[in-house]
Amino acid sequence: AEACYRGTNAVPRQGSSARTLHVGVTEGDLAPRILTCGTVERARAVAASFDGGVVEREVASARGFLSLTGRCGGVPVSIVATGMGVAMMDFMLRESVAVLPAAADGGARALVVRFGTCGSIREDAAEGTIAVSSGGSTFIRRDPDAFGGGGGSPYQICSVVPADAELSAAVLRELRAELGEEAAVVEGLNVSACSFYSSQGRRDPAFDDGHEECDPVEAVRRMHPDATSMEMETFHLLDLARCARPTPHAVRATAASIIVAHRPSGRVASAASVALLESRGGAAVLRALAATPLAAPPPSPALPPA
Ligand code: R1P
Ligand code: URA
């Protein structure tokens, strides 16, 4: 039974097996190049682009994670569906890293691209567009201390955490090559939120979310005019990548998100366009992962003397 796990520190494994407690993976299940997404359906749609459509290894966990491993142009790649929110991204990244071999010579142990869906909070980034988070990510959270008479701002906004530049450029290049004129691909800052509701500014009369005092979308836009995609996991992925040891390259990560809703206008993408962007966009992200070396990226060129 799940309660009988071994080890209360580091990453516990399930009692009688070597599988991690929540994601359910063990050594050899995952490739170091990982596309991660929210839904099992998107994971399967993207896996159809594995070489020959072949899934070589599949792990479904009791906690709702699904890991599919195959190849892209002969390079092993994995897709991990996480479900939603910071905690699920935390389980996914920590337990995946725990079963991957250590990085060689300062290179990456894992290259990770989140391929999610999002709302757009930027006027000129419409529904049906894909937003690449080359500008990194910030996080907005509802502060419980501001409620129940606590006072203070109901929302807190974190500093920006960067995305991996080489991986972001590869994702942008492959998405543009794949989609051409069919769909726009834009770059910008991602905003992750602690909720789909309160901290994404959705008004719900059933709860006091402090929106009369502070509109969280407007607060982010004032602080970051390039804020584009708003969703729920990218910030935590980039934050953990930044902190993965040995820093700075043990985990390199970025994100691309399909804009399903344009928040300023209220327009939403059609189911058909989302399905197309999931499968074609996912194929492009797999190619970007396969094309990016695990070796540490070359140092950025020195600035010319002033
Ligand atoms: C909310 O509907 C979910 O959709 C977005 C958000 O980040 C959140 O997880 O991403 P996924 O479609 O990848 O789940
Ligand atoms: N996912 C989110 O978190 N927000 C949106 O508006 C759409 C998808």
Side-chain angles (χ1 to χ4, degrees), residues 117-120 195-196 200 202 230-232 258 260-261 263:
T117 63
C118 69
S120 163
S195 165
F196 183 79
Q200 293 195 33
R202 290 188 165 87
M230 184 170 237
E231 43 78 91
M232 296 176 63
I258 299 166
V260 295
R263 300 293 307 285

Side-chain angles (χ1 to χ4, degrees), residues 26-28 30-34 95-103 109-111:
T26 189
E27 281 73 7
L30 295 179
R33 292 175 172 83
I34 298 174
E95 296 190 16
S96 298
V97 163
V99 301
L100 287 170
R109 189 171 190 169
L111 299 178

Side-chain angles (χ1 to χ4, degrees), residues 165-251:
E166 192 185 17
L167 201 48
S168 301
V171 168
L172 188 72
R173 181 189 70 232
E174 293 297 334
L175 282 169
R176 288 197 167 145
E178 174 69 33
L179 295 167
E181 302 290 303
E182 283 181 74
V185 183
V186 300
E187 295 181 88
L189 176 74
N190 170 260
V191 184
S192 295
C194 67
S195 165
F196 183 79
Y197 298 104
S198 60
S199 45
Q200 293 195 33
R202 290 188 165 87
R203 305 287 163 111
D204 179 354
F207 292 91
D208 173 12
D209 288 317
H211 288 153
E212 297 74 17
E213 222 176 300
C214 173
D215 177 331
V217 171
E218 284 315 311
V220 170
R221 278 158 50 117
R222 266 197 308 277
M223 196 177 282
H224 299 290
D226 62 332
T228 305
S229 53
M230 184 170 237
E231 43 78 91
M232 296 176 63
E233 298 84 10
T234 295
F235 179 85
H236 192 60
L237 169 63
L238 301 188
D239 178 29
L240 277 189
R242 168 177 65 174
C243 298
R245 291 179 172 141
T247 57
H249 301 305
V251 175

Side-chain angles (χ1 to χ4, degrees), residues 137-157:
S137 179
T138 182
F139 189 68
I140 181 157
R141 67 184 275 266
R142 183 181 185 275
D143 182 358
D145 284 348
F147 296 84
S153 171
Y155 293 96
Q156 292 179 344
I157 301 175

